[in-house]
Amino acid sequence: MSMSILIASVTLVANICVMAVSPAKMVYPAKGATNVPDGGFTLLLSHSESPVSLAIAGVTAVPTLQEATAPSPLRSDSTSAASKAGYVVPKLQPKTTYQVIVPLPASGCYDPNHPPAPQMTTLGTFTTQ
């Protein structure tokens, strides 16, 4: 007589709950700054975000900026004494206002198998020289 044993595998996954973290703040250029160089500088944020991109007043975004080491010491026109994250800014159009765009941190509870779609927010703007 032969016997078969069937073992069912059940995985129970609880919802993940996370608290909202404040988005980064612009350190350089300052929010609303004018006469910013038209590229070739390091965008500085108070803490790391991913991805970071630039957009011209809602037009298609410049591709995601690459992370870079924040310079030390910081520029004298930075808005903070410390920066945790830098991003390489490519050549930009002169006399143009750019928006700095990052994803909003996830918050609330969700099924880890179906996380919410990321929502984007504008940290601020700056205008090139």
Side-chain angles (χ1 to χ4, degrees):
M1 171 182 219
S2 121
M3 235 198 271
S4 296
I5 299 175
L6 175 63
I7 299 175
S9 173
V10 177
T11 303
L12 298 175
V13 178
N15 284 347
I16 293 175
C17 296
V18 292
M19 293 177 56
V21 175
S22 298
K25 294 188 180 358
M26 290 174 60
V27 174
Y28 178 82
K31 194 174 183 179
T34 57
N35 292 322
V36 174
D38 56 356
F41 65 89
T42 303
L43 173 80
L44 300 174
L45 299 181
S46 59
H47 61 265
S48 185
E49 293 283 358
S50 183
V52 175
S53 15
L54 301 177
I56 302 170
V59 177
T60 305
V62 169
T64 301
L65 302 179
Q66 297 296 314
E67 283 196 56
T69 303
S72 181
L74 292 179
R75 298 174 54 104
S76 61
D77 51 355
S78 297
T79 61
S80 172
S83 174
K84 306 275 189 214
Y87 299 87
V88 178
V89 176
K91 183 74 175 152
L92 302 174
Q93 296 178 26
K95 299 183 186 334
T96 304
T97 299
Y98 286 87
Q99 299 171 319
V100 178
I101 300 172
V102 298
L104 279 172
S107 65
C109 297
Y110 60 89
D111 176 348
N113 296 314
H114 301 90
Q119 296 180 14
M120 305 306 276
T121 188
T122 300
L123 293 183
T125 62
F126 64 88
T127 304
T128 53
Q129 55 191 8

